[in-house]
Amino acid sequence: MNRDVTSWYSPAIGKEMPIVSYGHYGFALLLIPTAAADYLEYERFQLIDSIAPFIESGMIRVFSIDSMNRESWMNNDMLPEHKAIRHNQFNEYVYNEVVPFIRNATSQETMIYTCGASFGALHAMNLFLKRPDIINGVISMSGVYDLTEYTKGYWDEQVYYNSPQHYLPNLHDSWYLDKIRSSHHIHIFSGSGDYEDPEAARRFAGVLYDKGIWYDLDIWGTDIPHEWPTWRKMLPYILGSRF
């Protein structure tokens, strides 16, 4: 498959940010790393291999970027309010730099879906919900949707506005809601095995239901743990059965 790596100096982040793409055609899948990982994480852990048939057939073109978690919520040396600032800079980087890059690399009409596992699942969902005008849907695997799971007790307005479990119930703006509701690709998957939190997925699905937002919730069994073999099974299944 085609594999291209490039980077640019990000005004939002204030440093060089790399991005890798796989494939030549299809809708765009933007991968958000887990935890404190980098843009090549999904390649290293063979998730790209697991979805190679979809890439090579021209169904999807995959893009993967660096996480900023190690410079925000997972950096124990930062003040919590500075973590929130860095988190918002990451959001702006995606919206104002990554999305235009994808459009230029594909087309202005290309559908873009965010996708992530674990902490990346929360970011993928949050990025979609905050800008449903430029992101068309989301695949979230093994996620929790309450940012306070990662803030060690810290709470402020910016935590609220990046925590889908908190802000979505209070969202009443029809401009946002209509665009979110128009997506046919809000996929929430979880296992029920070790270190998974299927109740987090169910709780967030309940929020979507209460807002009249279509969603696809799929909870797998107790033999499905929170680890890479799970996501290497889930993502090909989602792409093959939901798209």
Side-chain angles (χ1 to χ4, degrees), residues 34-222:
T34 70
D38 66 2
Y39 71 113
L40 294 176
E41 178 192 37
Y42 287 106
E43 180 180 321
R44 283 196 306 277
F45 285 94
Q46 302 173 327
L47 185 136
I48 298 300
D49 291 340
S50 77
I51 59 174
F54 302 100
I55 299 172
E56 292 167 345
S57 70
M59 175 180 164
I60 60 172
R61 185 167 174 185
V62 177
F63 297 82
S64 186
I65 59 176
D66 264 357
S67 162
M68 291 300 295
N69 295 323
R70 61 183 175 274
E71 297 185 26
S72 58
W73 303 114
M74 300 186 77
N75 185 337
N76 294 327
D77 296 324
M78 290 180 77
L79 293 173
E81 54 266 35
H82 292 171
K83 296 180 183 183
I85 291 169
R86 201 61 168 154
H87 184 116
N88 285 327
Q89 290 170 341
F90 172 77
N91 291 345
E92 293 307 307
Y93 159 70
V94 173
Y95 298 141
N96 298 329
E97 301 175 47
V98 175
V99 168
F101 174 83
I102 293 173
R103 297 258 183 241
N104 288 334
T106 57
S107 77
Q108 295 304 306
E109 292 74 38
T110 297
M111 305 293 273
I112 300 175
Y113 302 99
T114 50
C115 175
S118 192
F119 202 176
L122 186 155
H123 292 320
M125 183 65 70
N126 187 47
L127 287 164
F128 162 64
L129 292 174
K130 292 170 80 72
R131 288 300 304 271
D133 55 323
I134 59 173
I135 295 172
N136 304 104
V138 56
I139 298 171
S140 288
M141 302 179 292
S142 304
V144 300
Y145 305 94
D146 178 347
L147 186 57
T148 63
E149 294 282 337
Y150 298 94
T151 63
K152 298 185 177 180
Y154 180 73
W155 176 262
D156 69 2
E157 185 178 68
Q158 292 311 313
V159 173
Y160 170 84
Y161 281 116
N162 285 289
S163 182
Q165 189 75 38
H166 288 99
Y167 69 72
L168 190 58
N170 299 318
L171 178 62
H172 302 290
D173 189 321
S174 61
W175 186 90
Y176 286 96
L177 286 171
D178 289 348
K179 287 176 172 56
I180 294 168
R181 288 170 180 150
S182 70
S183 176
H184 299 290
H185 289 292
I186 303 174
H187 304 288
I188 303 168
F189 275 59
S190 177
S192 301
D194 291 345
Y195 305 107
E196 285 282 76
D197 189 352
E199 290 309 311
R202 291 188 179 100
R203 283 193 298 273
F204 189 65
V207 172
L208 293 169
Y209 178 86
D210 289 343
K211 302 302 288 188
I213 298 168
W214 178 93
Y215 62 89
D216 168 31
L217 174 67
D218 199 340
I219 305 297
W220 292 14
T222 56

